[in-house]
């Protein structure tokens, strides 16, 4: 039983190390998304896929070792959770502490990763909204009569540059609905 527990702890420790690598990549992803660096984002995504592949392999190992442990303690592998196993190890305090520690670290690491992924997902959604807005503006310029192109182009340039005009600027009145600087 002790060797099975050591194997389980070892697999969980390696799994946590891989999740920590994903956390680092998620942290790197945030400024990459903000900058709009598509190549950098692509590289990070490729690196993430490699790590996820390793985690999947470790997960298979973890399931196998946990099945062996469940068999030894005469419990159903489908219902045996790590927290249950930790409680069952009262007579093996060293293994209990190690398993409890790695369980806590895994929970902390995966929660941190979840929060970073949520933040990055929101940033990506904002970037996609911006791209969608720009595409709509370009489509509007193409379909608008020629005399309105100049006004639409001014608005698009104004939006993309995030104009810093002051309130006394006379051109503000040209397109009051489309100057987004009023809302920023």
């Amino acid at each position: 039983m002790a060797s099975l527990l050591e194997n389980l702890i070892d697999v969980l420790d390696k799994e946590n190390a891989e999740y920590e690598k994903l956390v680092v990549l998620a942290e790197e992803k945030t400024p990459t998304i903000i900058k709009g660096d598509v190549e950098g984002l692509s590289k990070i995504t490729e690196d993430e896929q490699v790590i996820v592949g390793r985690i999947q392999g470790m997960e298979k190992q973890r399931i196998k070792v946990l099945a062996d442990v469940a068999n030894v303690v005469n419990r159903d592998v489908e219902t045996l959770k790590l927290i249950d196993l930790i409680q069952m190890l009262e007579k093996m305090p060293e293994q209990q502490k190690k398993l409890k520690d790695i369980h806590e670290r895994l929970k902390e690491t995966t929660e941190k990763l979840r929060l970073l992924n949520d933040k990055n997902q929101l940033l990506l959604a904002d970037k996609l909204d911006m791209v969608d807005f720009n595409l709509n503006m370009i489509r509007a310029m193409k379909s608008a009569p020629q005399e309105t192109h100049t006004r639409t182009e001014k608005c698009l340039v104004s939006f993309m540059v995030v104009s810093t005009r002051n309130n006394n600027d006379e051109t503000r009145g040209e397109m009051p609905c489309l100057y987004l600087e009023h809302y920023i």
Side-chain angles (χ1 to χ4, degrees):
M1 174 75 165
S3 67
L4 285 175
L5 290 173
E6 289 301 321
N7 288 345
L8 180 60
I9 291 166
D10 184 54
V11 168
L12 292 173
D13 195 45
K14 288 177 182 175
E15 221 175 328
N16 187 60
E18 294 300 321
Y19 278 113
E20 287 174 346
K21 291 176 186 176
L22 285 177
V23 166
V24 170
L25 289 176
E27 289 170 340
E28 290 174 9
K29 190 184 283 186
T30 302
T32 304
I33 293 169
I34 291 169
K35 287 190 293 188
D37 180 2
V38 177
E39 287 180 28
L41 189 58
S42 178
K43 171 72 172 112
I44 290 171
T45 303
E46 287 174 17
D47 293 346
E48 286 174 329
Q49 292 303 314
V50 170
I51 294 170
V52 168
R54 288 194 300 255
I55 290 173
Q56 288 172 338
M58 290 174 200
E59 188 66 11
K60 289 177 184 175
Q61 282 181 290
R62 184 193 63 80
I63 291 169
K64 183 182 180 313
V65 173
L66 198 56
D68 292 342
V69 170
N71 197 21
V72 169
V73 296
N74 199 25
R75 295 281 301 264
D76 180 20
V77 70
E78 299 298 321
T79 60
L80 182 62
K81 305 287 183 224
L82 277 179
I83 195 74
D84 299 329
L85 185 57
I86 291 167
Q87 291 173 354
M88 293 170 57
L89 294 175
E90 289 177 355
K91 294 180 182 174
M92 303 174 80
E94 186 179 327
Q95 282 82 7
Q96 183 185 40
K97 182 178 176 356
K98 286 181 181 179
L99 194 58
K100 184 177 181 179
D101 289 348
I102 188 60
H103 181 254
E104 288 299 317
R105 285 195 327 242
L106 259 170
K107 281 179 18 181
E108 290 171 12
T109 304
T110 55
E111 178 62 13
K112 186 174 184 179
L113 182 59
R114 186 192 64 77
L115 292 172
L116 285 166
N117 283 340
D118 288 350
K119 179 173 74 172
N120 287 339
Q121 185 177 4
L122 288 172
L123 287 171
L124 282 170
D126 287 347
K127 284 291 186 178
L128 289 174
D129 287 345
M130 182 68 67
V131 168
D132 189 42
F133 175 83
N134 287 336
L135 287 174
N136 287 336
M137 290 298 293
I138 291 168
R139 285 186 196 115
M141 285 187 343
K142 286 184 179 181
S143 66
Q146 186 62 34
E147 62 270 7
T148 63
H149 277 222
T150 304
R151 290 176 53 186
T152 306
E153 288 167 359
K154 281 183 185 178
C155 176
L156 183 58
V157 168
S158 176
F159 175 71
M160 293 173 78
V161 174
V162 185
S163 176
T164 58
R165 296 180 186 160
N166 65 35
N167 289 334
N168 297 328
D169 194 338
E170 294 175 21
T171 59
R172 260 194 199 284
E174 287 182 39
M175 298 173 36
C177 295
L178 295 177
Y179 271 104
L180 295 179
E181 64 195 30
H182 293 284
Y183 308 104
I184 296 177

